Amino acid sequence: MLSQTTKEIEAAFKAQNWTYNIDQREDSSALITGFNLKSGDSVQVFFISAGDKDLAIRVFRAIDIPAGKEDIAIRTCNKINLEYRFTKFVVDNGCVGVQLDVAMETQNMGPVAIELISRTLDILEHSLPTFKSAFGAAPAGGSFSGNNA
């Protein structure tokens, strides 16, 4: 199912001439793209919608956690989460991820999604040095064909 939210985000991406892929499931859809950060790192971003008035933005693998540093990663996530109201850092499967959930009724979901990802990527970019100094982590990213943040 291709949700209305995903359609609106796709239209906004087309208007920006950004690259992306669409993944459709029976009960949800996702627009998947990559972004190059100013730091030179890159991340893969998922815009997931299970309906017409919701949006979950996910960066599942923003930073790899070195073995034995999970507790430090959790404490660092908690510290950073106190600084930001809507974007949350989480530890999952040996990586730090970034999450943002939005439930809204708007006719402008595409431009809103672009604004939200811009803010989320700025927060991630600002937080990378804190994680790197906390446990010497490198971004998980790999190389994604990305849009510029």
Side-chain angles (χ1 to χ4, degrees):
M1 136 191 143
L2 189 60
S3 74
Q4 184 62 34
T5 298
T6 302
K7 290 176 188 175
E8 291 181 29
I9 295 169
E10 180 179 27
F13 269 58
K14 283 181 180 177
Q16 296 288 327
N17 201 28
W18 286 351
T19 59
Y20 61 90
N21 291 309
I22 300 285
D23 181 27
Q24 293 184 61
R25 306 283 169 105
E26 187 175 313
D27 58 349
S28 65
S29 58
L31 184 143
I32 305 162
T33 190
F35 283 96
N36 300 315
L37 303 177
K38 295 173 190 108
S39 64
D41 302 316
S42 60
V43 293
Q44 190 173 34
V45 181
F46 294 74
F47 295 82
I48 305 165
S49 178
D52 290 337
K53 296 181 171 88
D54 73 300
L55 175 62
I57 297 174
R58 298 288 186 268
V59 179
F60 291 109
R61 296 188 62 214
I63 303 166
D64 281 326
I65 302 170
K69 304 279 185 165
E70 292 81 7
D71 287 344
I72 292 170
I74 291 168
R75 285 194 303 274
T76 304
C77 285
N78 288 342
K79 176 184 173 186
I80 292 172
N81 286 341
L82 291 173
E83 295 179 40
Y84 302 104
R85 290 180 50 197
F86 302 108
T87 300
K88 296 300 171 203
F89 288 81
V90 297
V91 172
D92 189 29
N93 293 322
C95 294
V96 172
V98 185
Q99 300 181 350
L100 173 67
D101 293 309
V102 181
M104 68 170 69
E105 241 179 276
T106 180
Q107 299 301 315
N108 301 314
M109 185 57 91
V112 168
I114 288 175
E115 174 69 20
L116 292 173
I117 194 57
S118 174
R119 290 175 185 236
T120 299
L121 293 175
D122 283 347
I123 290 167
L124 174 57
E125 186 91 50
H126 181 263
S127 302
L128 283 174
T130 303
F131 282 105
K132 288 178 181 180
S133 69
F135 53 86
S143 175
F144 299 107
S145 167
N147 305 292
N148 291 321

